[in-house]
């Protein structure tokens, strides 16, 4: 294995994911068909930044994402965080002050019980592991009014927001979390609510183009019942001057289910309720002065068009620059908390460096991708090639242009939020970094002894006497991640080299074959040659091939099977392999 070989087999493929030509072609033009700048950009975030600058916004430029609290904060939830991050970084690089906000729609009601939750460490747990009753007793109430089922935060909403905030921090992204509940409580939404309720005819006419349930009696405000604490949709009167509404706590329909209202009739202020989400979204743009917002393609055909219409017709503002991103799949299947097809950021960072995760989101957001944990080595290989291109080590002009622009943002150099290298000396040269190919790191993960890991890496030429100590440390840090990957996916690298010679009983012919193989290895052959020679050696000594391989596995792993043995032996220190084959050590 050589470092430069990884990933080069697709260099002639014009459709490969990291081609900057593909990225720029797909990025050209805003969602409304306009473009602020016709200049070719190798990085899609520059195209978006052009569109934002074309509107001549005041600083700070505000970038927003948003999420509704749910059971599990998984890697799909950071889509908007990371898409927004790269645009924010480009704008900062151009001299702008930028705020990156992330709103939690936490005044929404809990409509159904999640099947899974995530604890404070991001670990997925079932409802049986928490106080599920804290959720079940509070269906229909705002997330901020529901106790944290883990008993750690002031509410379930706060628990979920803390998870997302921690994920952003783990990825080195500076995000300001904003609670919708807080915005209502401090009066930030007062004017927006008054605007909506002061011209119901216009709101009904506009919203009715997008939602069938809007009729002549529809009042777009959802009070929180003072008696039972549930969100209700039945407003019976509006007092604009007093800033209140009268309501009845009626049933809330959730698909085929019904959350029963308590029947209470009362009065609520504009701060004691919320706008329906279709209106709340454009209201956020106005309240927070949002300049850019990325969102998933599920919003592109419904929520976004209605948001644009309502922003202009009801609130009298222009919507922010949008960017629709394509959802990615996980192992070929859609991300689904209920189906268990999710991976959290902490789980992902157990097998990947933060910069590799950031690289995944730096690839063009409008191209469908699959995050296949079983073949995560391919993603790492692509990142390594991208990194080498930045340092001028790859003969690919397009990839190099992409890397030269995007790599500093992937690494967090521009913002002072580095993804890696926190313990590098101040005078360290990043060009001195070392990356073990991921599968080689997985091979090293079969070895428990850290000193032996480093020695094997030196034997293979990945590090030498001129490699800085910090670079060796960083390179070796990939080993534990690759080892975790092997264990989690139970792949061909999920074996452990036995440091001490296992006790094995061998037939004379098998022992003779092992001695012959030891002579072959001592002569200096590589792993591929050793693999082929094992078949020849078995036949020359009248030993069944399967028995010969099992003997080798017993010697090195104390198990009857393992990885491709010859190739694995080729990665190990030659003297150690020869001694072990001769049953000497």
């Amino acid at each position: 294995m050589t470092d430069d070989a990884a990933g080069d087999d697709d260099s002639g493929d014009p459709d490969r994911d990291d081609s900057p030509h593909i990225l720029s072609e797909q990025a050209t033009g805003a969602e409304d068909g306009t473009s602020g700048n016709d200049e070719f950009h190798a990085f899609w975030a520059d195209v978006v930044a052009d569109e934002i600058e074309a509107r001549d916004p005041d600083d700070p430029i505000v970038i927003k994402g948003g999420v509704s609290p749910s059971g599990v904060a998984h890697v799909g939830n950071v889509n908007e965080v990371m898409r927004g991050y790269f645009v924010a970084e480009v704008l900062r690089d151009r001299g702008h002050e930028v705020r990156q906000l992330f709103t939690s729609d936490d005044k929404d009601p809990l409509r159904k019980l999640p099947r899974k939750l995530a604890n404070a460490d991001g670990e997925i747990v079932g409802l049986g592991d928490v106080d599920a009753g804290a959720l079940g007793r509070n269906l229909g109430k705002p997330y901020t009014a529901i106790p944290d089922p883990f008993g750690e935060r002031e509410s379930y909403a706060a628990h979920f927001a803390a998870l997302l905030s921690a994920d952003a921090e783990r990825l080195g992204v500076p995000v300001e979390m904003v609670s919708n509940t807080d915005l209502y409580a401090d009066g930030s939404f007062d004017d927006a609510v008054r605007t909506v309720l002061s011209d119901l005819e216009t709101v009904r006419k506009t919203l009715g183009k997008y939602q069938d349930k809007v009729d002549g009696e529809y009042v777009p405000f959802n009070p929180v019942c003072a008696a039972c604490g549930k969100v209700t949709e039945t407003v019976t009167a509006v007092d604009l001057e007093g800033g209140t509404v009268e309501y009845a706590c009626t049933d809330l329909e959730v698909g085929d289910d019904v959350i029963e209202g308590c029947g209470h009739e009362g009065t609520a202020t504009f701060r004691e309720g919320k706008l329906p989400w279709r209106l709340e979204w454009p209201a956020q743009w106005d309240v927070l002065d949002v300049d850019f917002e990325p969102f998933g393609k599920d919003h592109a055909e419904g929520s976004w068009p209605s948001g644009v219409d309502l922003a202009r017709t009801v609130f009298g503002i222009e919507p922010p620059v949008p960017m629709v991103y394509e959802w990615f799949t996980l192992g070929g299947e859609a991300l689904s908390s209920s189906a268990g097809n999710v991976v959290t950021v902490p789980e992902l960072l157990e097998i990947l460096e933060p910069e590799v995760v950031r690289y995944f989101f730096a690839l063009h957001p409008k191209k469908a991708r699959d995050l296949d944990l079983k073949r995560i080595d391919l993603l790492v290989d692509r990142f390594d090639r991208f990194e080498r291109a930045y340092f001028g080590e790859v003969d690919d002009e397009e990839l190099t242009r992409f890397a030269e622009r995007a790599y500093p943002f992937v690494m967090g150099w521009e913002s002072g939020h580095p993804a890696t290298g926190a313990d590098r000396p101040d005078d360290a040269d990043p060009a001195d970094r070392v990356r073990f190919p991921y599968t080689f790191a997985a091979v090293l993960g079969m070895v428990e002894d850290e000193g032996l890991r480093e020695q094997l890496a030196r034997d293979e030429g990945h590090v030498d006497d001129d490699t800085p100590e910090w670079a060796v440390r960083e390179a070796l840090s990939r080993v534990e991640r690759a080892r975790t990957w092997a264990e989690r996916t139970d792949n061909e690298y999920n074996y452990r080299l036995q440091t001490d010679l296992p006790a094995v009983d061998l037939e004379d012919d098998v022992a003779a074959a092992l001695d012959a193989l030891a002579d072959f290895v001592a002569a200096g052959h590589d792993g591929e040659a050793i693999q082929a020679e094992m078949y020849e050696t078995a036949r020359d000594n009248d030993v069944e091939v399967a028995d010969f391989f099992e003997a080798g596995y017993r010697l090195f792993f104390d198990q009857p099977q393992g990885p491709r043995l010859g190739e694995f032996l080729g990665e190990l220190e030659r003297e150690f392999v020869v001694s072990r084959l001769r049953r000497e050590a």
Side-chain angles (χ1 to χ4, degrees), residues 363-381:
L363 298 173
H364 199 279
K366 293 185 182 179
K367 182 171 177 128
R369 303 181 196 283
D370 183 52
L371 185 64
D372 188 351
L373 300 186
K374 292 182 178 179
R375 294 311 315 271
I376 209 70
D377 56 307
L378 299 181
L379 173 63
V380 180
D381 287 347

Side-chain angles (χ1 to χ4, degrees), residues 411-432:
M411 300 304 294
W413 292 347
E414 302 299 325
S415 65
H417 299 278
T420 191
D423 62 344
R424 288 182 183 178
D426 293 338
D427 60 349
D429 184 351
D432 290 336

Side-chain angles (χ1 to χ4, degrees), residues 42-356:
F43 187 28
W44 58 268
D46 275 300
V47 179
V48 177
D50 284 350
E51 296 164 8
I52 295 170
E53 287 185 327
R55 297 191 179 189
D56 194 24
D58 294 329
D59 281 356
I61 294 175
V62 177
I63 292 174
K64 189 184 88 68
V67 68
S68 179
S70 63
V72 176
H74 54 73
V75 71
N77 295 128
V78 301
N79 254 315
E80 290 171 36
V81 172
M82 295 308 306
R83 311 305 187 187
Y85 163 78
F86 286 113
V87 176
E89 288 295 86
V90 166
L91 288 168
R92 290 181 181 117
D93 183 59
R94 297 184 183 189
H96 294 283
E97 180 185 353
V98 182
R99 293 179 67 199
Q100 186 177 352
L101 310 180
F102 205 75
T103 56
S104 175
D105 300 334
D106 52 20
K107 204 164 187 180
D108 289 358
L110 174 65
R111 296 176 179 271
K112 62 179 180 179
L113 290 179
R115 297 186 182 180
K116 300 286 184 179
L117 296 169
N119 63 23
D121 296 323
E123 299 168 337
I124 298 176
V125 300
L127 292 182
D129 297 318
V130 300
D131 179 10
L135 297 174
R137 291 188 298 269
N138 290 283
L139 287 173
K141 295 182 181 180
Y143 287 103
T144 42
I146 299 173
D148 177 10
F150 293 91
E152 298 172 350
R153 297 276 177 174
E154 61 268 28
S155 70
Y156 176 67
H159 172 82
F160 190 83
L163 293 178
L164 287 176
S165 182
D167 285 347
E169 184 175 347
R170 290 181 180 103
L171 295 173
V173 178
V175 169
E176 298 177 48
M177 295 297 296
V178 178
S179 163
N180 269 356
T181 298
D182 290 345
L183 291 178
Y184 282 104
D186 67 19
S188 296
F189 272 120
D190 281 359
D191 288 344
V193 174
R194 182 171 280 103
T195 297
V196 169
L197 297 182
S198 64
D199 191 358
L200 290 175
E201 182 177 351
T202 298
V203 172
R204 289 165 181 163
K205 181 179 178 180
T206 305
L207 194 55
K209 293 185 290 185
Y210 307 95
Q211 288 187 316
D212 293 336
K213 73 175 186 178
V214 176
D215 56 24
E217 303 298 320
Y218 178 69
V219 180
F221 188 73
N222 306 140
V224 177
C225 178
C228 69
K230 295 178 182 178
V231 175
T232 184
E233 297 178 341
T234 304
V235 173
T236 56
V238 176
D239 180 356
L240 291 174
E241 186 174 344
T244 62
V245 300
E246 295 181 17
Y247 67 88
C249 185
T250 55
D251 295 348
L252 180 67
E253 294 184 5
V254 181
D256 295 331
D257 296 324
V258 174
I259 299 175
E260 294 183 357
C262 71
H264 174 74
E265 295 182 3
T267 301
T269 68
F270 292 171
R271 301 184 184 187
E272 295 172 333
K274 68 180 298 293
L275 293 169
W277 188 79
R278 290 262 187 171
L279 283 153
E280 192 173 71
W281 195 19
Q284 287 176 341
W285 301 337
D286 190 16
V287 169
L288 299 172
D289 198 20
V290 179
D291 295 295
F292 167 66
E293 180 156 6
F295 48 87
K297 63 179 184 178
D298 54 331
H299 292 311
E301 296 181 0
S303 307
W304 171 252
S306 69
V308 170
D309 202 348
L310 291 163
R312 291 170 175 161
T313 306
V314 176
F315 296 104
I317 63 169
E318 279 300 304
V321 171
M323 186 189 72
V324 180
Y325 57 79
E326 181 77 27
W327 293 107
F328 64 87
T329 53
L330 183 64
E333 301 291 337
L335 287 160
S336 172
S337 298
S338 61
N341 193 46
V342 294
V343 61
T344 66
V345 170
E347 287 176 332
L348 201 58
L349 292 178
E350 288 178 351
I351 62 174
L352 293 175
E353 294 100 338
E355 58 267 34
V356 179

